[in-house]
Amino acid sequence: MSTLLEARRISASYRVDSDGPRIRAVDDVSLTLEEGEALGVAGESGCGKSTLASILSLNVHPPLQVTGGRLRVAGHDIPLDGINGGRVATGLRGKVVALLPQGAMNALNPTLRVRDFVYDVLRSHVAGITRKEAIARATERLERLALPPRVLDAYPHQLSGGMRQRVVAVVSTLLDPDVLIADEPTSALDVSSQRALLALLSHLLEQRIIRGIVFITHELPLLRYIAHRIAIMYAGQLVEVGPAEEVLFQPAHPYTKVLMEATIVLETGTRRQRIQTVGGAPPNLVSPPPGCRFHPRCPVAMGRCSREAPPVVDVGAGHSAVCWWVAEQRAGEAGSMSHAA
Ligand code: ATP
Ligand code: MG
């Protein structure tokens, strides 16, 4: 397998005033996206998912600033000063890496009918494309999302929120980007529209029309329909990464376990129950807790968790968790195995 996108030790913060505090929304995050892969990223509200999406899709604007790390997308090295200054090579954004943004409100042009917007997007990137070809490509994808062709004649304000979100999904994939960064693309959709969008993205990936997808959500169980691997984010950092089946059904990190239980409650009950189950609030990203950031809310925290940064522990092939408790469990298992031998 070859690597399509690689982020290495990326850190980024928001600084609203030049002498004000830094909100460290992404802190030392490394991840890879392989050719043909859908990587799920899940975590609670405010943990930095959209910030990460902005960085990976090269959409960084003040007050966000990337302060460290390296990024490589589809064979292109992206220098940090380029990301921050918006000076990335033409053709990279939208075509090599595209963002399906969270909240579809601003992604369309309110003064243009969908049909004209679609044509503008395609015409600006695909030399010689005719209006007819552009509309045909859009219509095929709209149909896969159970949207009638008449949405092409509508202005954005004439569409419902769910329709608009699906139209934005179609627009973000129209250029057949190598990498699609999809930030909570299903949040405003009912269950059948959610499934249709997941099916469209899976189809584009299987047909290699898109070469890789980073799919961001706060609903971890949703990822079982699309993700090959899953990364769990907590307070600006990744705490667990592994094959989807393992992260979903044999999570290693205490936070992933809590998030999984919490979200199951959300599916069967109310949002209020979800908050009670997770317990406590995510930390302030200006001055996060020392040691492991999850320790104040962790059901199995130990003394050192509040003092020392936790280690990365391998718990299986390509599966790791960043946690002292997991490290102790593994050390205990290794000890009992060597006694048995
Ligand atoms: P959600 O699930 O609600 O979409 P998220 O995981 O996408 O949340 P981000 O939007 O990346 O989280 O926000 C991460 C942190 O950065 C939060 O503390 C948020 O308040 C802060 N933040 C986000 N955007 C800005 C901004 N433009 N200016 C200042 N702080 C910001
Ligand atoms: Mg977000």
Side-chain angles (χ1 to χ4, degrees), residues 13-333:
S13 49
Y14 294 93
R15 201 170 203 181
V16 181
D17 300 313
S18 57
D19 54 350
R22 278 186 188 282
I23 299 163
R24 290 185 288 163
V26 169
D27 195 356
D28 204 7
V29 166
S30 297
L31 56 79
T32 59
L33 176 70
E34 305 299 328
E35 188 79 44
E37 183 179 52
L39 173 72
V41 177
E44 280 169 287
S45 182
C47 72
K49 302 181 299 298
S50 293
T51 308
L52 183 62
S54 302
I55 298 165
L56 298 181
S57 64
L58 312 175
N59 282 292
V60 174
H61 307 287
L64 177 62
Q65 191 181 27
V66 180
T67 53
R70 287 190 6 223
L71 184 61
R72 195 173 160 79
V73 188
H76 301 267
D77 276 312
I78 317 289
L80 282 193
D81 56 347
I83 303 184
N84 286 326
R87 292 184 306 274
V88 291
T90 43
L92 279 185
R93 222 184 272 122
K95 177 71 187 113
V96 171
V97 57
L99 177 67
L100 200 181
Q102 179 173 11
M105 299 308 284
N106 305 320
L108 300 169
N109 183 332
T111 67
L112 289 183
R113 290 182 198 273
V114 173
R115 161 187 305 283
D116 297 321
F117 187 68
V118 158
Y119 182 47
D120 276 2
V121 168
L122 276 166
R123 185 170 52 166
S124 62
H125 286 83
V126 184
I129 193 162
T130 65
R131 179 176 278 273
K132 204 170 160 195
E133 286 163 346
I135 299 307
R137 194 190 289 195
T139 306
E140 192 230 291
R141 290 187 190 174
L142 289 169
E143 276 171 1
R144 285 184 180 273
L145 296 181
L147 284 168
R150 66 180 160 75
V151 303
L152 286 165
D153 295 318
Y155 288 96
H157 73 267
Q158 294 173 317
L159 301 171
S160 70
M163 279 179 155
R164 205 155 40 220
Q165 190 161 15
R166 281 176 287 166
V167 169
V168 171
V170 164
V171 169
S172 70
T173 67
L174 273 183
L175 296 173
D176 298 343
D178 292 310
V179 180
L180 179 69
I181 311 291
D183 186 6
E184 309 242 14
T186 58
S187 56
L189 302 181
D190 60 34
V191 173
S192 72
S193 302
Q194 273 190 7
R195 295 278 159 86
L197 180 55
L198 290 167
L200 172 67
L201 296 181
S202 298
H203 164 81
L204 295 174
L205 198 56
E206 275 159 22
Q207 299 298 314
R208 293 291 189 271
I209 295 168
I210 289 176
R211 292 163 61 196
I213 297 177
V214 176
F215 190 101
I216 293 171
T217 180
H218 62 270
E219 287 179 63
L220 181 51
L222 191 72
L223 292 177
R224 85 172 175 263
Y225 300 109
I226 187 154
H228 300 106
R229 281 189 307 135
I230 294 176
I232 304 292
M233 199 165 179
Y234 184 78
Q237 300 181 320
L238 295 189
V239 296
E240 179 163 1
V241 180
E245 291 277 302
E246 287 189 31
V247 174
L248 289 168
F249 301 113
Q250 293 165 278
H253 198 285
Y255 176 62
T256 314
K257 293 178 199 252
V258 167
L259 192 65
M260 200 61 200
E261 284 161 19
T263 322
I264 286 165
V265 172
L266 176 68
E267 280 196 328
T268 56
T270 66
R271 280 174 193 273
R272 184 182 293 268
Q273 276 176 292
R274 171 179 182 251
I275 293 160
Q276 284 169 346
T277 312
V278 174
N284 172 348
L285 295 178
V286 173
S287 51
C292 171
R293 293 183 180 181
F294 186 54
H295 85 261
R297 303 168 78 192
C298 180
V300 292
M302 305 171 290
R304 69 194 323 185
C305 301
S306 59
R307 296 189 302 270
E308 298 169 63
V312 180
V313 187
D314 283 335
V315 294
H319 187 182
S320 60
V322 188
C323 175
W324 283 117
W325 178 76
V326 175
E328 289 219 343
Q329 301 273 305
R330 297 297 286 183
E333 281 166 27

